[in-house]
Amino acid sequence: MEELVREEGEGPFRKTYIVGCGIYNMKMSREFITDAVDQAAALIEKEGSRAFGRIRDKAGPFVFLDTCVFVGTPDGIVLVDPAFPGVEGTNIIGFRDVNNKSVAVEYINTALKDGSGWVTYLWPKPGENNPRPRMSM
């Protein structure tokens, strides 16, 4: 599920972030993921980009098993991704999964239109190359 977060600031200085969390193990509850995203969003609303270090911390509360909270911008820049730190700073707006689904566009549009929601796509697990079904909030 992705959630739209607006950081502190006024007018053109106000920053907007998309906060999400993907799961591979579909047995993990949606409530657990929703809670993790809500907590990360609240932290960003309070601390702004200073919260990114805590969200990125693999020993912290936002990284668990093969699931983690990620943060991006509405234009597709990955700001925080503990599972794939090499993509941080990269624009993934043009990324398509093996089924040709425009993943970033879909989750960004969901967050901007609905405020939050779930998106399904194929994405490799951390440390693997083969895409697997993933659901993100």
Side-chain angles (χ1 to χ4, degrees):
M1 177 176 170
E2 284 68 42
E3 184 169 313
L4 182 64
V5 175
R6 287 188 173 83
E7 182 184 342
E8 292 180 295
E10 299 289 328
F13 301 105
R14 190 172 183 105
K15 294 182 181 177
T16 300
Y17 300 111
I18 308 294
V19 180
C21 185
I23 57 173
Y24 297 96
N25 179 357
M26 302 309 171
K27 294 178 184 174
M28 188 175 291
S29 79
R30 284 183 175 213
E31 292 80 17
F32 179 79
I33 298 301
T34 301
D35 186 56
V37 170
D38 289 346
Q39 286 183 35
L43 185 63
I44 292 170
E45 285 179 351
K46 180 179 177 187
E47 298 182 13
S49 60
R50 294 182 311 276
F52 293 172
R54 288 187 55 201
I55 295 169
R56 191 180 284 118
D57 182 2
K58 291 187 179 186
F62 301 106
V63 179
F64 31 92
L65 302 173
D66 57 10
T67 302
C68 64
V69 170
F70 55 86
V71 181
T73 65
D75 58 350
I77 304 292
V78 177
L79 300 174
V80 177
D81 191 335
F84 299 96
V87 301
E88 290 185 7
T90 302
N91 189 322
I92 62 166
I93 203 77
F95 173 80
R96 294 183 175 274
D97 72 3
V98 296
N99 291 330
N100 205 32
K101 181 182 271 189
S102 185
V103 175
V105 170
E106 189 165 332
Y107 74 67
I108 289 167
N109 286 344
T110 298
L112 293 175
K113 179 181 172 226
D114 302 328
S116 67
W118 291 89
V119 175
T120 58
Y121 53 95
L122 296 174
W123 193 267
K125 277 184 161 185
E128 295 182 8
N129 294 323
N130 295 328
R132 296 175 180 250
R134 180 176 177 171
M135 219 166 61
S136 289
M137 172 199 180

